[in-house]
Amino acid sequence: MKDLAAQRCFNHPHREAVACCPECGRYFCRECVVEHDDRLLCASCIAKLLAPSRTRRFRLAGLVRLAQFLFGFMVLWLFYYYVGQALLSLPSSFHEGTVWQSSWWEAE
């Protein structure tokens, strides 16, 4: 391993390196490294480490989307079902238009 004081950043050649990434062995400045699990890693190595966990989430994403779709469809179906039931429970005079011809005060 070379002396750290003599190294330059892999991404910024004009800057002095402050850390060596333990995964890839490249040297980086302060802006290019991030602490992850008590180690200083570069952005590309962090992306490689986190990539497998993302693929596991996507496997379940299809099932979650299907469940959301079915739940939404069921809610909409129940909503329209009960709206239809409410319309069916109205008296036939309402549907014929005769309910508007008489007033409640005339019924007495």
Side-chain angles (χ1 to χ4, degrees):
M1 191 180 252
K2 299 178 184 176
D3 187 29
L4 182 62
Q7 296 301 315
R8 302 311 248 168
C9 176
F10 181 76
N11 296 328
H12 307 103
H14 61 282
R15 294 184 185 169
E16 183 178 306
V18 295
C20 178
C21 178
E23 294 290 322
C24 64
R26 296 180 186 149
Y27 293 92
F28 295 97
C29 65
R30 292 174 197 244
E31 292 181 16
C32 296
V33 291
V34 176
E35 185 176 351
H36 179 71
D37 289 337
D38 296 328
R39 300 185 302 170
L40 291 175
L41 298 173
C42 65
S44 62
C45 290
I46 287 178
K48 289 176 190 174
L49 289 174
L50 297 179
S53 64
R54 290 182 192 157
T55 57
R56 278 187 242 130
R57 283 188 223 147
F58 288 130
R59 290 180 188 161
L60 295 178
L63 292 175
V64 170
R65 295 273 175 152
L66 179 65
Q68 288 174 341
F69 173 76
L70 292 175
F71 179 75
F73 183 76
M74 184 181 70
V75 167
L76 281 175
W77 184 82
L78 285 172
F79 173 75
Y80 285 113
Y81 175 79
Y82 284 114
V83 166
Q85 291 297 320
L87 289 174
L88 286 174
S89 68
L90 293 174
S92 60
S93 61
F94 179 81
H95 295 290
E96 295 167 358
T98 57
V99 75
W100 306 112
Q101 293 173 354
S102 62
S103 299
W104 58 271
W105 59 82
E106 292 176 6
E108 294 177 2

